[in-house]
C-alpha cells in the first residue's frame, strides 16, 4: 500500500512567513538592533556565546534576534554557523592570572591581595522591580577611584604556596588536547574533555547538577575560593608568520572552588579544587561548572561514586542543550508509520485481552 | 600589533588615510586574500594547569607584500576581513625603513594612547567598587 509522503510545502512556507511576521511583532514599535541586544542584553549574549561555543558578540546578538529571544534556539543557530568556517588552529592557553579584572571576589579570605572588587553585579540588589526602567532611563556616570597597580594573584596560588591546596595537573609531555568537536566521546574522559563539555554545557543543567551536590548527592564541601571576571589577551601561533600573533582580548569569568581535603599515608592532607571558566560574565555558569568538575573527580580522589553529578557518562551525555533539544523536540516530527505499527500491536493485544475475559460459558453458548 | 588588534577597523583606516595625504604609501598586493575562520580558544585546568579547549572564536586573517618586498601579517578576533588586511598592511609598513617610523608615530602611537585611556577609565570605574573593610568598635570606650 502506498501512502502520501509529500505535502505541506506551502504550509511550511507560510508558517515561516508567519514566524517572520511574529518575530517582528507590532510594526509600530521600533525594531530592535543588534547593537541594542549586544549592549543592553549583554548577559544573554554571553550565554549564547558560551553554550554556542563561539566567541562573537555580533553573531550571538543576531542569533538572539532571529530566535525571538529563545536562547537555546539561538545557541543552536550559532553552533550551526561555526560548522561553516574553517579552523585556523588553537590559541595559546589564556592567562587568567593576568586578567584585567572587572570583578573579583573571594568567600574564603576577606583581605586578599588586590582586594575584593565587586564590579557590575546583581549581588546586594534587593530584587525589586524598578519602574524607572520602564521609561527612558539615563544612569549616573560610574564612580571612579584611583586604580591600584598591585597584582591580583589567584587565591588558589596563595593557598598553593603553603601547600594547603593541591596544585593543578600539568600536561604530560607530548600529550594532545582532547577536542570533543573533532573526536567522538569515550568514557572515561580526561579532565580536558570534561571541562570542554562543561564549558559548553547548558547553564540550567549544570546549575541543577551543582545544586544537587550541595544538597548531599555527592557532597564535597565547596567554598568559592575566587570568582573573577574581566578581559584576557588572546595569542595565536600563526604558522605563516612564524610567531605568536595577538588576536585581541576576550571577556571571561573564572571560578576556583576550594573543596574538602584529600590526603593519604604518604601525602599531607590538602584542599582539593574544582574549576569553572566561561565566555563573558557568566558567574552562575562557572560556579556550577566548578562544582560539577569537582564532583566528577570523585573516582580520581577515591570517593564513593553514587550521585548523578559524580557520574561522568550521565553528566557529559546530558549537558549539551543542542543535543538534548534535538532529541526531545524530534518527537514532534512525523512518526506516522511507527505509530501505525504500535496502534496495530495495541489493537491485537486488546483483542487477546477481550477474548481472555469472555467466560467459557458464553463462548459455548455462542457456539 | 596588539594595539591594532584592539582598534576599530575604521580608526586604523582613517589614520592610514591621513598619513597617505603627506606620504605616498607604497604599492602592495595581497599575499593571502583576507579570510574568516575560527580559532579554538584554550584555557588551563585550574587557571595554571594543563590546557583544555574552551570554545572557538571567529578570527580574520590576511597577508600583504609591499612592492619593496616587506611582508606583513594581520590577525584579529571577529569577522572584519578588512581590519585584518589593514593590520597586515601596517605590519608590512612598520618593517619598511621608509615608513616604519611614520606608522609608529601617526597610526600605532595614537591608537595605543586611546586604548590606554579606555583601559584607565575602566580600571578607575572598577577600583571604585573595591571594598574597604573597617572594624566596628563594640561596647563603650
Amino acid at each position: 500500500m502506498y501512502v502520501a509522503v509529500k505535502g505541506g510545502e506551502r504550509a511550511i512556507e507560510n508558517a515561516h512567513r508567519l514566524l517572520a511576521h511574529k518575530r517582528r511583532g507590532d510594526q509600530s514599535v521600533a525594531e530592535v538592533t543588534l547593537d541594542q541586544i549586544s549592549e543592553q542584553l549583554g548577559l544573554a549574549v554571553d550565554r549564547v556565546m558560551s553554550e554556542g561555543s563561539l566567541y562573537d558578540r555580533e553573531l550571538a546578538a543576531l542569533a538572539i534576534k532571529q530566535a525571538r529571544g529563545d536562547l537555546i534556539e539561538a545557541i543552536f543557530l550559532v553552533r550551526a554557523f561555526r560548522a561553516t568556517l574553517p579552523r585556523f588552529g588553537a590559541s595559546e592557553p589564556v592567562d587568567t592570572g593576568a586578567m584585567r579584572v572587572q570583578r573579583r571576589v573571594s568567600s574564603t579570605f576577606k583581605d586578599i591581595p588586590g582586594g575584593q572588587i565587586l564590579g557590575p553585579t546583581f549581588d546586594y540588589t534587593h530584587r525589586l522591580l524598578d519602574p524607572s526602567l520602564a521609561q527612558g532611563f539615563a544612569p549616573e556616570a560610574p564612580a571612579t577611584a584611583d586604580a591600584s597597580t598591585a597584582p591580583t594573584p589567584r587565591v588558589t596560588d596563595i593557598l598553593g604556596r603553603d601547600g594547603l591546596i593541591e596544585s593543578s595537573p600539568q600536561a604530560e609531555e607530548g600529550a594532545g588536547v582532547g577536542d570533543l568537536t573533532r573526536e567522538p566521546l569515550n568514557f572515561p574522559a580526561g579532565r580536558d574533555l570534561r571541562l570542554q563539555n562543561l564549558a559548553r554545557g547548558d547553564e540550567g543543567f549544570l546549575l541543577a547538577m551543582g545544586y544537587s551536590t550541595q544538597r548531599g548527592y555527592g557532597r564535597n564541601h565547596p567554598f568559592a575560593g575566587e570568582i573573577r571576571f574581566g578581559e584576557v589577551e588572546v595569542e595565536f601561533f600563526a604558522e605563516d608568520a612564524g610567531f605568536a600573533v595577538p588576536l585581541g582580548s576576550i571577556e571571561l569569568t573564572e571560578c576556583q572552588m576550594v573543596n574538602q581535603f584529600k590526603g593519604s599515608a604518604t601525602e599531607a592532607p590538602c584542599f582539593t579544587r574544582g574549576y569553572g571558566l566561561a565566555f563573558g560574565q557568566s558567574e552562575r555558569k562557572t560556579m556550577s561548572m566548578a562544582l560539577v568538575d569537582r564532583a566528577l573527580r570523585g573516582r580520581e580522589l577515591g570517593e564513593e561514586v553514587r550521585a548523578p553529578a559524580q557520574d561522568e557518562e550521565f553528566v557529559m551525555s546530558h549537558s549539551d542543550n543542542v543535543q538534548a533539544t534535538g532529541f526531545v523536540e524530534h518527537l514532534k516530527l512525523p512518526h506516522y508509520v511507527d505509530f501505525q505499527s504500535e496502534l496495530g500491536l495495541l489493537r491485537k493485544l486488546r483483542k487477546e485481552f477481550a477474548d481472555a475475559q469472555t467466560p467459557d460459558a458464553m463462548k459455548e453458548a455462542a457456539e | 600589533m596588539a594595539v591594532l588588534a584592539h582598534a576599530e577597523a575604521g580608526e586604523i583606516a582613517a589614520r592610514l588615510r591621513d598619513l597617505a595625504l603627506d606620504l605616498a604609501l607604497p604599492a602592495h598586493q595581497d599575499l593571502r586574500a583576507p579570510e574568516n575562520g575560527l580559532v579554538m580558544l584554550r584555557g588551563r585546568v585550574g587557571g595554571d594547569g594543563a590546557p583544555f579547549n574552551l570554545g572557538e572564536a571567529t578570527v580574520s586573517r590576511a597577508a600583504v607584500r609591499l612592492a619593496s618586498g616587506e611582508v606583513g601579517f594581520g590577525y584579529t578576533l571577529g569577522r572584519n576581513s578588512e581590519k585584518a588586511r589593514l593590520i597586515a598592511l601596517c605590519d608590512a609598513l612598520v618593517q619598511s625603513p621608509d615608513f616604519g617610523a611614520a606608522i609608529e608615530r601617526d597610526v600605532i602611537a595614537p591608537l595605543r594612547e586611546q586604548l590606554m585611556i579606555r583601559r584607565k577609565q575602566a580600571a578607575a570605574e572598577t577600583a571604585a567598587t573595591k571594598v574597604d573593610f573597617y572594624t566596628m568598635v563594640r561596647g563603650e570606650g
Side-chain angles (χ1 to χ4, degrees):
Chain A
M1 188 184 76
Y2 292 97
V3 292
V5 291
K6 285 179 73 73
E9 289 91 343
R10 189 185 308 141
I12 290 170
E13 195 181 308
N14 288 341
H16 291 169
R17 247 170 89 171
L18 183 58
L19 169 68
H21 183 78
K22 288 281 182 192
R23 168 165 51 224
R24 177 61 184 87
D26 182 347
Q27 293 190 35
S28 66
V29 176
E31 185 179 351
V32 70
T33 66
L34 299 193
D35 285 346
Q36 287 170 349
I37 294 171
S38 182
E39 293 297 311
Q40 298 174 43
L41 300 176
L43 300 186
V45 170
D46 287 347
R47 181 168 178 189
V48 170
M49 292 198 302
S50 264
E51 295 171 32
S53 204
L54 184 65
Y55 198 97
D56 188 316
R57 292 197 75 80
E58 195 186 36
L59 279 181
L62 174 61
I64 291 168
K65 180 172 178 175
Q66 186 175 333
R68 307 176 66 193
D70 177 340
L71 297 190
I72 292 182
E73 182 73 19
I75 289 159
F76 200 158
L77 292 168
V78 166
R79 292 267 188 100
F81 177 85
R82 73 159 273 288
T84 66
L85 289 177
R87 192 190 282 177
F88 296 159
S91 77
E92 302 294 312
V94 294
D95 180 5
T96 53
M99 181 183 277
R100 279 188 297 281
V101 162
Q102 294 174 47
R103 169 167 168 78
R104 187 263 198 144
V105 291
S106 169
S107 72
T108 51
F109 295 107
K110 179 165 65 74
D111 297 309
I112 39 175
Q116 306 265 0
I117 298 162
L118 303 183
T121 179
F122 291 123
D123 295 352
Y124 324 107
T125 60
H126 294 113
R127 267 74 182 212
L128 297 174
L129 278 174
D130 180 359
S132 70
L133 287 173
Q135 284 96 38
F137 173 75
E140 273 182 274
T144 56
D146 287 339
S148 138
T149 51
T152 46
R154 297 188 196 95
V155 166
T156 42
D157 295 349
I158 300 167
L159 279 168
R161 263 179 240 145
D162 300 326
L164 292 170
I165 196 163
E166 60 177 350
S167 53
S168 301
Q170 299 300 311
E172 284 169 34
E173 195 71 36
V177 182
D179 186 352
L180 52 81
T181 67
R182 293 290 167 97
E183 307 121 36
L185 201 51
N186 287 313
F187 300 106
R191 186 103 179 263
D192 51 351
L193 287 169
R194 298 203 303 253
L195 286 171
Q196 184 183 10
N197 176 283
L198 299 178
R200 55 200 262 135
D202 182 76
E203 179 174 313
F205 176 80
L206 295 180
L207 176 66
M209 284 287 122
Y211 180 43
S212 74
T213 68
Q214 290 181 288
R215 291 195 61 256
Y217 294 85
R219 189 184 293 283
N220 51 39
H221 304 275
F223 293 93
E226 182 178 347
I227 296 157
R228 57 170 61 194
F229 157 64
E231 258 186 350
V232 297
E233 296 296 313
V234 182
E235 287 194 338
F236 171 67
F237 185 86
E239 298 282 347
D240 50 1
F243 52 88
V245 292
L247 294 182
S249 56
I250 59 169
E251 287 185 335
L252 290 178
T253 305
E254 178 185 62
C255 173
Q256 303 272 6
M257 210 58 92
V258 174
N259 304 72
Q260 217 169 44
F261 332 119
K262 67 163 186 180
S264 65
T266 54
E267 267 183 284
C270 60
F271 285 116
T272 59
R273 311 163 63 152
Y275 187 65
L277 186 68
F279 293 154
Q281 189 172 7
S282 308
E283 225 158 278
R284 186 185 302 118
K285 163 73 179 262
T286 48
M287 292 182 78
S288 306
M289 177 175 169
L291 288 173
V292 177
D293 173 49
R294 174 60 185 77
L296 290 176
R297 297 182 58 213
R299 194 170 289 114
E300 170 202 339
L301 293 168
E303 293 163 352
E304 199 178 10
V305 172
R306 280 206 297 204
Q310 297 170 311
D311 181 335
E312 70 176 49
E313 190 163 347
F314 180 82
V315 170
M316 293 177 73
S317 303
H318 299 110
S319 62
D320 192 296
N321 55 25
V322 176
Q323 273 174 17
T325 203
F327 204 51
V328 168
E329 292 201 51
H330 103 284
L331 291 174
K332 67 194 171 188
L333 297 176
H335 283 68
Y336 306 140
V337 176
D338 287 358
F339 189 69
Q340 280 304 319
S341 79
E342 294 273 307
L343 202 57
L345 179 62
L346 180 64
R347 286 201 171 112
K348 186 165 157 265
L349 291 171
R350 285 175 65 87
K351 184 167 181 303
E352 284 169 13
F353 177 81
D355 288 349
Q357 293 292 306
T358 313
D360 292 347
M362 294 271 289
K363 281 184 193 166
E364 282 162 23
E367 282 162 11
Chain B
M1 290 300 109
V3 169
L4 297 177
H6 282 97
E8 298 286 331
E11 293 172 333
I12 307 172
R15 297 201 175 266
L16 275 176
R17 242 190 335 266
D18 289 351
L19 182 66
L21 296 177
D22 306 331
L23 195 67
L25 294 181
H28 55 273
Q29 63 179 65
D30 285 347
L31 198 61
R32 184 205 290 279
E35 62 175 336
N36 292 334
L38 302 170
V39 162
M40 176 56 89
L41 302 176
R42 287 188 171 158
R44 290 185 180 280
V45 178
D48 57 355
F52 69 94
N53 289 315
L54 176 64
E56 287 164 309
T58 53
V59 169
S60 303
R61 69 176 173 190
V64 302
R65 178 168 28 218
L66 303 187
S68 47
E70 288 84 357
V71 171
F73 298 97
Y75 279 82
T76 181
L77 288 171
R79 286 164 297 118
N80 191 334
S81 315
E82 182 55 19
K83 180 175 165 189
R85 212 183 58 79
L86 289 166
I87 294 174
L89 179 58
C90 290
D91 183 40
L93 288 169
V94 99
Q95 300 167 53
S96 144
D98 298 335
F99 301 96
I103 290 290
E104 173 57 38
R105 186 187 62 236
D106 293 340
V107 179
I108 298 175
L111 290 174
R112 183 182 296 121
E113 197 182 321
Q114 279 178 20
L115 178 64
M116 291 306 144
I117 289 170
R118 283 202 304 272
R119 284 193 183 161
K120 211 174 151 195
Q121 174 67 21
E125 290 170 5
T126 298
T129 69
K130 184 166 157 179
V131 180
D132 286 320
F133 288 105
Y134 51 89
T135 308
M136 305 277 279
V137 179
R138 299 178 69 184
E140 288 176 33

